[in-house]
Amino acid sequence: MLVENIRLSEKYDYLRDEFKKAYEFLKRDDLNELSVGSIRIGEKVTAYVQEYITSDRDDLDFETHEKNIDIQYMISGQEIIEVCNRKLLEEKTSYDTEKDIQYYKEPKERFTSLVLNPGDIAILMIEDAHKPRCRAINKQTIKKIVIKIAI
């Protein structure tokens, strides 16, 4: 499933080399054995292996990035990622250029909730404000990979 505004269909090429490198990396058989940390996949592609305990949605903030597209891949566990268009949100913090992140207040409009299970990916573009790490049913330890593709 890919949900995107048709006006952005020409902006992003989901089959360009950087995406192909990310997809091939995620097909590896040893993802569960990877240690937490970063792995350089290509010139513009880096994988970040993460492990954490999911949180209540009210304890988390929506975020966006200016320089990187996120591909979030669930290795183990289950989490919810809430997503909405960044234009619908009010800024909570200023953009941190070093960390490529900005946080937002809760939306007044509706948002979409994605449930990620092992093997699922979510591709989040710079227009997509997202709130990862939300617990699904119960808080649980999850392991996932976030691949950053520089734009």
Side-chain angles (χ1 to χ4, degrees):
M1 171 179 64
L2 173 66
V3 179
E4 190 65 78
N5 187 291
I6 191 65
R7 291 184 290 255
L8 296 174
S9 64
E10 291 183 22
K11 181 177 182 179
Y12 301 112
D13 177 1
Y14 299 101
L15 296 176
R16 71 178 199 237
D17 287 342
E18 292 86 1
F19 282 92
K20 288 179 182 178
K21 286 179 184 179
Y23 303 146
E24 284 304 312
F25 180 84
L26 294 174
K27 291 178 185 174
R28 291 172 48 162
D29 292 330
D30 65 342
L31 295 179
N32 200 40
E33 283 77 48
L34 295 176
S35 299
V36 171
S38 63
I39 302 167
R40 189 76 166 176
I41 299 172
E43 183 180 336
K44 295 182 174 185
V45 186
T46 304
Y48 295 90
V49 181
Q50 303 176 344
E51 282 187 350
Y52 53 82
I53 298 173
T54 55
S55 298
D56 292 325
R57 69 168 306 282
D58 293 337
D59 296 332
L60 302 165
D61 294 314
F62 277 85
E63 63 186 58
T64 60
H65 311 289
E66 298 290 332
K67 301 175 190 173
N68 291 285
I69 294 166
D70 277 5
I71 298 177
Q72 301 206 12
Y73 176 83
M74 189 63 58
I75 297 173
S76 64
Q78 181 185 62
E79 82 171 16
I80 293 173
I81 300 177
E82 297 177 352
V83 182
C84 71
N85 189 301
R86 71 189 309 163
K87 293 178 185 177
L88 301 175
L89 300 178
E90 183 181 341
E91 296 175 359
K92 183 174 185 177
T93 66
S94 58
Y95 174 67
D96 183 330
T97 55
E98 187 175 314
K99 294 181 180 178
D100 184 36
I101 198 163
Q102 183 170 11
Y103 294 102
Y104 296 84
K105 296 178 182 177
E106 275 298 302
K108 295 175 183 162
E109 302 289 326
R110 295 180 145 217
F111 53 84
T112 300
S113 294
L114 307 174
V115 179
L116 289 187
N117 292 295
D120 291 344
I121 65 171
I123 302 173
L124 302 161
M125 312 314 282
I126 60 172
E127 293 81 9
D128 298 323
H130 52 283
K131 182 193 288 194
R133 300 179 176 235
C134 299
R135 70 174 177 85
I137 297 170
N138 299 309
K139 291 183 181 181
Q140 62 182 282
T141 301
I142 63 107
K143 185 169 186 177
K144 78 177 187 183
I145 296 176
V146 177
I147 296 181
K148 301 280 187 177
I149 298 177
I151 56 171

